[in-house]
DNA sequence: TATTGTTATACTCTATAACTATA
DNA sequence: TATAGTTATAGAGTATAACAATA
């Protein structure tokens, strides 16, 4: 249990952060310029379109690193643009179900080609097929690992644990 | 020149974005809680300490995806905390050279063990040695590629090109 | 009593544009 | 004329805490 990372780890870590920063920057600009969407808004629409059925706010919050109030805020912006609708769930009166509208799908269609082009030009042009598979595997593992083992603080972001966390 | 990504690419792309989001979230929290630093502030200090010599604002802006005014702002915050100093360059009167102070180094030392622990627990615990090398290679390639080929817009972030970009 | 979601609020980050001064 | 950096400002994103309604 040393408290350093070896040089290969440092290189991987900083490389990862830098690459994703550059990618995020480009992707955000594209989404904003071509569709007036923030990245989170894009994620919400993409998730709804991909799942192809209404999701609750909590469903949406899963998978997006986001506070609930932040999600409410972004959903409000999407709704104001007519890209989603929100209505009370028939099953659970507390829950809100979110639907994507036709306009929402259309907006996604507007944005997607440019989005994909940016990602391909920036990221995939430098990776061969085997790299892509490997990267996908590694990120899949890492995600499962991260999701299953919340950080040291064990501070829940979205849920109550029952154990009070003093602060 | 299709306009889709194949499934492996989609998986890699979304996996990458999700993993780094989770990592950034955890890392930001750690830096803030244990050192009162934002990630950019950490990057600035780390860069100064690593280079081990004063850098100009422009030097610092390179490698950090940041507007110049944003960098000025963050540098101001660091200076207010006594972690860096800024002074006029002897070589070029326009330039500002940034030094890290002893306090700055100390702050970095305070933050680093926890930082490394977070990164190791979240990221490297799920990757073996070979993965780490591979990831480092891929990210190195991708970074070089991205840095050499600015996105479609060709809109310069930090420099003047001489060609006016209408907007 | 716990959970879903919203509101109100405040703070941070980031970018744009205008500006100063040096080259 | 171009570059380095700062300032003023404005907008977007995000979190916290308090709250209402339902389970």
């Amino acid at each position: 249990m040393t408290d350093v990372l070896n040089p290969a780890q440092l290189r991987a870590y900083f490389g990862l952060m830098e690459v994703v920063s550059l990618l995020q920057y480009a992707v955000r600009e594209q989404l904003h310029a071509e569709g007036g969407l923030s990245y989170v808004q894009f994620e919400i629409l993409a998730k709804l379109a991909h799942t192809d059925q209404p999701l609750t706010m909590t469903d949406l919050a899963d998978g997006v690193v986001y506070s609930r109030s932040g999600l409410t805020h972004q959903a409000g912006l999407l709704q104001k643009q007519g890209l989603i609708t929100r209505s009370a769930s028939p099953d659970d009166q507390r829950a809100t179900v979110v639907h994507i509208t036709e306009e929402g799908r259309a907006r996604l269609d507007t944005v997607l080609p440019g989005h994909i082009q940016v990602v391909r030009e920036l990221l995939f042009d430098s990776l061969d097929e085997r790299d892509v598979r490997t990267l996908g595997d590694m990120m899949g593992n890492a995600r499962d690992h991260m999701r299953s083992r919340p950080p040291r603080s064990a501070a829940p972001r979205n849920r109550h644990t029952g154990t009070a966390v003093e602060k």
Side-chain angles (χ1 to χ4, degrees), chain A:
Chain A
M1 209 354 165
T2 62
D3 69 74
V4 292
L5 299 175
N6 66 45
Q9 287 174 324
L10 276 177
R11 182 165 154 268
Y13 170 53
F14 284 116
L16 185 67
M17 296 298 263
E18 185 178 352
V19 161
V20 173
S21 286
L22 290 165
L23 191 56
Q24 283 176 338
Y25 188 94
V27 146
R28 278 193 198 123
E29 181 171 310
Q30 184 270 329
L31 287 173
H32 184 264
E34 296 181 14
L37 296 174
S38 70
Y39 187 73
V40 191
Q41 289 166 14
F42 169 72
E43 276 185 304
I44 294 172
L45 290 182
K47 192 155 209 159
L48 288 169
H50 179 255
T51 309
D52 205 28
Q53 60 174 319
L55 297 172
T56 66
M57 295 296 279
T58 299
D59 291 334
L60 285 171
D62 293 345
V64 181
V65 182
Y66 228 70
S67 68
R68 290 192 303 168
S69 65
L71 189 62
T72 296
H73 176 63
Q74 293 296 337
L77 295 178
L78 286 172
Q79 189 168 21
K80 202 181 302 177
Q81 291 188 67
L83 307 181
I84 62 170
T85 60
R86 281 181 289 180
S87 50
S89 163
D91 306 342
D92 183 338
Q93 287 291 85
R94 294 172 303 179
T96 298
V97 290
V98 182
H99 295 252
I100 187 171
T101 64
E102 280 314 305
E103 274 185 274
R105 290 182 198 277
R107 182 71 63 86
L108 210 46
D109 289 344
T110 301
V111 161
L112 221 36
H115 189 82
I116 284 166
Q117 190 181 343
V118 168
V119 173
R120 192 191 303 107
E121 285 181 5
L122 247 52
L123 182 64
F124 290 118
D125 276 3
S126 70
L127 303 177
D128 64 31
E129 208 178 302
R130 203 163 148 277
D131 286 338
V132 172
R133 262 202 323 279
T134 308
L135 184 61
D137 290 344
M138 286 193 297
M139 293 302 113
N141 288 341
R143 188 204 51 222
D144 293 345
H145 176 70
M146 288 176 175
R147 292 277 187 200
S148 73
R149 181 183 313 198
R152 301 177 305 162
S153 68
R157 250 196 322 286
N158 293 315
R159 310 272 183 185
H160 246 253
T161 53
T163 357
V165 179
E166 54 185 327
K167 190 162 185 200

